Amino acid sequence: MRSDLWKSADQVASLLRFAVRNALFSAGASVKPDAALLNAVRERLWEETETRFFAMLETAAQGSGEASDAERAGWRSHLRNVALALFDEAAPLSADSGGSAAVRIGKARRLLGIALAGYGPTGALLLTTLALPVIEPKETKNKRKAA
């Protein structure tokens, strides 16, 4: 169980780092992979979730050794809330945000939220890591016509 919790937090930390990078820098910008701001937001996610992580491990150790579905879903929800709060802090959308910056920030936050909600390939990976049911994609018009 410990590795599942750790892997899911690592996945969310990577999603958060990627979203902040996309929000703050234009597509063609060269940003060092170890940029201080991007590393700081990743580290903050670890700090903000550490207490809950160890509490879940302790609870599991006292019981069956595994987290229940509800506990794993709660962990995902906690990761989501922390990640979105850290995103909002690192890439604030304000009246001073320029037109292209506002679009980048909004798009990055929306895509982060979608992944954290379990949609798309990265969202499905997160749900799979936590042994939670994967959300089946809806059938699109093109798939209906092909059938």
Side-chain angles (χ1 to χ4, degrees), residues 18-29 87 91-93 97-112:
F18 183 75
V20 169
R21 188 227 179 271
N22 287 342
L24 299 180
F25 304 100
S26 61
F87 178 89
L93 187 57
S97 299
S100 64
V103 170
R104 276 195 325 269
I105 293 167
K107 181 178 179 183
R109 190 181 197 288
R110 182 172 41 87
L111 293 175
L112 176 62

Side-chain angles (χ1 to χ4, degrees), residues 70-127:
E71 290 168 328
R72 288 192 307 272
W75 172 245
R76 184 185 66 85
S77 179
H78 180 65
L79 287 172
R80 179 184 181 280
N81 293 340
V82 170
L84 290 174
L86 291 173
F87 178 89
D88 291 342
E89 189 178 301
L93 187 57
S94 68
D96 297 335
S97 299
S100 64
V103 170
R104 276 195 325 269
I105 293 167
K107 181 178 179 183
R109 190 181 197 288
R110 182 172 41 87
L111 293 175
L112 176 62
I114 289 169
L116 294 174
Y119 293 95
T122 54
L125 180 61
L126 178 61
L127 293 176

Side-chain angles (χ1 to χ4, degrees), residues 125-136:
L125 180 61
L126 178 61
L127 293 176
T128 300
T129 299
L130 289 170
L132 293 171
V134 175
I135 299 167
E136 295 297 323

